């Protein structure tokens, strides 16, 4: 018997062996690599339940397939999460619905926070289990390219992450209280509830800039303890978040005080003065445990009323 005569039976035996392992012939036509990993059909994935004779133990999240054999006690037959094996049950990761209705890959109609929960599970499996490939169907096409459904889910995840980041920033840097009047301009100050964020510290006003942007807004900054992100550190300067590089003090304001930022009307009335050397900066009039009330005399005289005025300096003309 020649080589060709031996090759045909050998291929037949190999095919029989592969079929016995649960491989689907149609899946052989799918490219093995699609960026990273292989492409699996739903039928092939369904055979990977960890049951006796099963070729493995797989599950999928948002179309990404993972080998979870090392978690057999969780996902194997009879285990608490065995219903997740052999399928993409992305929706159940958010809803906790382990019925046939909930064990599906359709994530439409879920809230951004629920979609983000699924993304967190996807990150968990990526970090703790072996990535196998992509499931052809709702999230990836037969070439392994993302489908419209996956792009939509990614867009929701991106928005949810932005919201989460903003919420975390708000907890670290709660917005200031603020008010404006034609006489005193804008006042910024902090309290334990400013910005709608309840906390056990008050903080001081600062300008917070987004990296790469000239826009800023007023936030309250913690002044004691370790900086955020290092709350367990024992080696720090006890200045809270004051040294954050994205923060800037209000010009003319005491660094540990509430701040008045001069109004345009105030600046307009000062515009005609010949000599303002003895006046405080019009860009910031600060309070330190008391309030200043600024009134403008339209005949080019300015009167400051305060319970304490020595902070402004000895040369300023004032009444109290």
């Amino acid at each position: 018997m020649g080589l060709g005569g031996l090759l045909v039976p050998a291929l037949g035996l190999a095919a029989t062996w592969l079929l016995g392992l649960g491989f689907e012939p149609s899946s052989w036509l799918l490219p093995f690599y699609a960026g990273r990993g292989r492409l699996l059909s739903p039928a092939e994935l369904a055979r990977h339940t960890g049951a006796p004779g099963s070729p493995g133990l797989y599950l999928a999240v948002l179309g990404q397939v993972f080998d979870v054999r090392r978690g057999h006690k969780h996902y194997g037959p009879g285990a608490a999460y065995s219903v997740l094996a052999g399928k993409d049950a992305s929706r159940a990761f958010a809803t906790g619905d382990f019925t046939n209705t909930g064990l599906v890959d359709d994530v439409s109609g879920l809230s951004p926070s629920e979609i983000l929960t699924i993304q967190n599970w996807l990150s968990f499996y990526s970090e703790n289990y072996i990535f196998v490939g992509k499931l052809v169907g709702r999230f990836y096409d037969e070439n392994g390219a993302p489908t419209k459904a996956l792009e939509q889910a990614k867009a929701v995840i991106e928005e949810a992450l932005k919201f989460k980041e903003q919420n975390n920033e708000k907890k670290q840097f709660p917005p200031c209280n603020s008010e404006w009047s034609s006489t005193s301009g804008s006042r910024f100050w902090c309290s334990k509830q400013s910005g709608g964020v309840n906390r056990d510290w008050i903080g001081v006003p600062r300008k917070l800039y987004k990296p790469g942007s000239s826009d800023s807004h007023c936030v309250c900054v913690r002044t004691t303890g370790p900086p955020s992100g290092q709350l367990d550190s024992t080696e720090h300067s006890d200045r809270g978040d004051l040294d954050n590089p994205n923060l800037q003090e209000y010009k003319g304001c005491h660094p540990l005080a509430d701040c008045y930022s001069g109004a345009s009307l105030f600046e307009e009335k000062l515009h005609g003065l010949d000599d303002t050397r003895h006046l405080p900066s019009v860009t910031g009039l600060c309070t330190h445990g008391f309030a200043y009330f600024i009134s403008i005399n339209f005949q080019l005289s300015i009167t400051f009323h305060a319970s304490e005025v020595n902070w402004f300096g000895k040369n300023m003309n004032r009444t109290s």
Side-chain angles (χ1 to χ4, degrees):
M1 182 182 292
L3 181 61
L6 293 173
L7 183 60
V8 173
L11 289 174
L13 289 173
T16 302
W17 177 71
L18 288 172
L19 287 171
L21 290 178
F23 281 87
E24 183 182 64
S26 62
S27 70
W28 302 347
L29 302 176
L30 297 174
F32 188 84
Y33 286 101
R36 185 169 69 95
R38 55 187 279 209
L39 293 178
L40 294 87
S41 70
E44 183 179 358
L45 176 62
R47 293 187 174 93
H48 291 72
T49 60
S54 170
L57 182 56
Y58 293 172
L59 62 74
V61 182
L62 293 180
Q64 296 191 35
V65 182
F66 298 91
D67 185 333
V68 294
R69 280 178 295 180
R70 63 187 296 264
H72 190 275
K73 65 179 180 180
H74 301 299
Y75 304 104
Y81 301 109
S82 61
V83 292
L84 299 175
K87 62 175 68 72
D88 186 331
S90 293
R91 192 178 190 88
F93 285 97
T95 64
D97 182 358
F98 287 172
T99 66
N100 289 334
T101 303
L103 291 167
V104 295
D105 58 1
D106 183 5
V107 298
S108 61
L110 295 180
S111 68
S113 61
E114 288 174 320
I115 296 291
L116 189 57
T117 296
I118 298 174
Q119 171 63 31
N120 291 338
W121 277 108
L122 179 59
S123 298
F124 167 79
Y125 287 110
S126 297
E127 294 170 2
N128 294 279
Y129 292 95
I130 298 172
F131 175 78
V132 174
K134 300 172 183 177
L135 177 65
V136 175
R138 184 178 298 276
F139 299 113
Y140 294 97
D141 65 20
E142 62 276 7
N143 297 312
T147 63
K148 184 177 180 180
L150 183 58
E151 295 298 340
Q152 290 174 339
K154 286 182 176 180
V156 174
I157 290 170
E158 185 177 349
E159 288 301 314
L161 288 173
K162 287 182 181 178
F163 179 80
K164 183 179 180 180
E165 181 181 354
Q166 291 170 354
N167 194 44
N168 290 339
E169 180 184 279
K170 187 176 180 180
K171 290 180 180 179
Q172 181 181 356
F173 297 122
C176 303
N177 295 314
S178 63
E179 64 182 7
W180 181 89
S181 73
S182 59
T183 55
S184 60
S186 299
R187 178 195 174 203
F188 303 108
W189 78 101
C190 297
S191 66
K192 289 185 177 181
Q193 295 83 34
S194 57
V197 179
N198 293 318
R199 53 194 187 275
D200 58 3
W201 52 273
I202 296 176
V204 294
R206 288 289 189 277
K207 292 180 182 180
L208 177 64
Y209 288 88
K210 291 288 186 182
S213 173
S214 59
D215 296 329
S216 67
H217 62 280
C218 184
V219 298
C220 295
V221 181
R222 189 165 48 83
T223 60
T224 60
S228 297
Q230 303 177 30
L231 297 180
D232 296 329
S233 173
T234 57
E235 297 181 3
H236 55 82
S237 57
D238 195 30
R239 286 175 49 83
D241 290 314
L242 287 175
D243 297 321
N244 187 293
N246 297 320
L247 297 172
Q248 185 179 92
E249 295 180 10
Y250 279 92
K251 184 178 180 181
C253 285
H254 190 283
L256 298 177
D258 297 346
C259 186
Y260 280 100
S261 180
S264 58
L265 175 61
F266 185 27
E267 295 173 346
E268 289 171 3
K269 296 309 172 183
L270 288 177
H271 183 70
L273 294 179
D274 293 327
D275 189 352
T276 60
R277 287 175 297 175
H278 301 309
L279 294 174
S281 168
V282 299
T283 58
L285 303 174
C286 296
T287 66
H288 200 190
F290 48 82
Y292 285 96
F293 302 94
I294 306 170
S295 62
I296 302 176
N297 183 312
F298 291 97
Q299 295 180 347
L300 301 181
S301 64
I302 299 175
T303 304
F304 290 85
H305 302 277
S307 58
E308 179 179 338
V309 292
N310 290 332
W311 184 84
F312 284 114
K314 297 179 180 180
N315 294 325
M316 186 180 72
N317 295 323
R318 59 188 181 270
T319 61
S320 60

